Amino acid sequence: MRTPVVMTLGMVLAPCGLLLTLTSTLTPGWRLVKGFLDQPVDVVLYQGLWDMCREQSSRERQCGQPDELGYFAAEPVKVARGLMVTSLAVTALGLLLATLGVRCWQDEPHFALAGLSGVVLFAAGLLSLIPVSWYNHFLADRAVLPAQSSPVTVQVGYSLVLGYLGSCLLLLGGFSLALSFAPWCAERCRSCRKASPSSARRSSISTVHVDWLTPAIKYYSDGQHRPGPAQLGPTSRRKAGFPMPRPPPKAYSNQVDVLDGEKSPDSHLDGSSRSTRPCGSALPCDSDL
């Protein structure tokens, strides 16, 4: 059996989402801060969840910059750390379940397990989308996410964009795999219909309930309609087989309404037509006439 399209699509989108989410979690590029007064114009400060890096066009990037304003103590940064790590763990679990459910090395996939993996991956996408959206909401709020005052400007970093893309891919991949529940639900419904008792079926007008038929068949098959030995008597003998029906009485088909041996009204026309009945019977013979 070919792997369904929804499973193939989910198995492609979910790993891509995991890769993008992992990159967004580890890289220090959630926010870009630039425009410092006491520093060169080309100095840019990259702020992430775990580190801050300082970059200048004439020098290499220098990470491990000190947190002078308490950026890492901000609530959106703390929540984003926990939720992003949780999202990565849930995504790994969902991919494991998806691999066991799709099982391309076998003929039949496990639809229920594949659908469950889709639900897990969808939840992982939500877990990564929430901190990314919350961080973006307070990106320019210097009271929540500390930064120097104007003319210093803050901008969206590449890590935040990767977090959005990874979350969307996880949501799409999880939804695609969750559609695997459809064949499983259809199979369950068919099995429930087959297991339902026939008595639960609505009776129609054409349905005829004959309650006396089964007892009657048993009565005649067991021979209960025949009389017992005590009813037959000592001299009578039970007849074998089924009783034969008596023939109906024959209809009187004599065209001339006379008895056998009597002369018909046309007998005087033909003297040779006489009855051949022997004398001595109850009716008079020809000699007596």
Side-chain angles (χ1 to χ4, degrees):
M1 177 181 179
R2 296 179 56 184
T3 304
V5 179
V6 290
M7 293 186 180
T8 305
L9 186 62
M11 291 299 294
V12 171
L13 296 178
C16 295
L18 174 62
L19 182 61
L20 293 177
T21 305
L22 179 62
T23 305
S24 173
T25 305
L26 298 179
T27 54
W30 285 58
R31 188 172 72 166
L32 275 67
V33 183
K34 60 183 180 180
F36 300 98
L37 293 176
D38 54 347
Q39 296 184 14
V41 181
D42 57 350
V43 173
V44 179
L45 185 64
Y46 292 91
Q47 296 177 338
L49 299 180
W50 313 94
D51 197 3
M52 286 192 300
C53 297
R54 182 177 181 272
E55 185 178 5
Q56 191 175 358
S57 59
S58 60
R59 296 182 182 180
E60 295 181 357
R61 177 178 293 188
Q62 298 175 358
C63 295
Q65 298 296 317
D67 183 16
E68 299 175 353
L69 301 177
Y71 166 79
F72 293 117
E75 187 175 1
V77 177
K78 291 182 178 180
V79 174
R81 285 179 177 181
L83 289 181
M84 293 300 288
V85 172
T86 305
S87 175
L88 292 175
V90 175
T91 304
L93 177 62
L95 286 177
L96 177 61
L97 294 177
T99 304
L100 298 177
V102 176
R103 54 183 183 182
C104 302
W105 60 90
Q106 294 188 5
D107 295 336
E108 290 291 335
H110 199 296
F111 292 102
L113 193 57
L116 180 61
S117 67
V119 175
V120 174
L121 290 173
F122 193 86
L126 290 178
L127 288 175
S128 62
L129 183 62
I130 291 173
V132 171
S133 302
W134 193 18
Y135 188 97
N136 188 34
H137 178 71
F138 292 107
L139 181 69
D141 193 346
R142 302 173 192 268
V144 180
L145 293 174
Q148 288 86 351
S149 59
S150 182
V152 176
T153 59
V154 293
Q155 297 178 0
V156 176
Y158 64 92
S159 298
L160 202 62
V161 177
L162 294 179
Y164 270 118
L165 292 177
S167 302
C168 294
L169 290 180
L170 286 176
L171 291 175
L172 292 176
F175 179 76
S176 181
L177 283 171
L179 293 178
S180 302
F181 275 125
W184 178 74
C185 292
E187 184 179 358
R188 292 283 296 176
C189 292
R190 285 194 298 267
S191 61
C192 290
R193 290 196 206 99
K194 292 180 181 179
S196 60
S198 59
S199 60
R201 185 167 57 100
R202 274 182 73 182
S203 60
S204 59
I205 300 177
S206 60
T207 305
V208 180
H209 299 280
V210 183
D211 298 334
W212 52 267
L213 184 58
T214 303
I217 294 175
K218 184 177 180 182
Y219 177 80
Y220 283 98
S221 62
D222 295 344
Q224 299 179 13
H225 62 288
R226 299 174 182 174
Q231 299 176 0
L232 291 175
T235 57
S236 61
R237 186 178 61 180
R238 177 178 293 182
K239 297 180 181 180
F242 295 95
M244 298 299 292
R246 295 181 179 180
K250 296 181 179 179
Y252 190 78
S253 58
N254 196 348
Q255 298 180 358
V256 181
D257 192 11
V258 296
L259 298 177
D260 292 341
E262 292 183 353
K263 292 190 299 181
S264 61
D266 299 336
S267 60
H268 64 281
L269 299 177
D270 187 5
S272 61
S273 59
R274 295 180 180 273
S275 174
T276 59
R277 187 181 58 85
C279 297
S281 59
L283 297 175
C285 300
D286 297 339
S287 60
D288 299 333
L289 298 175

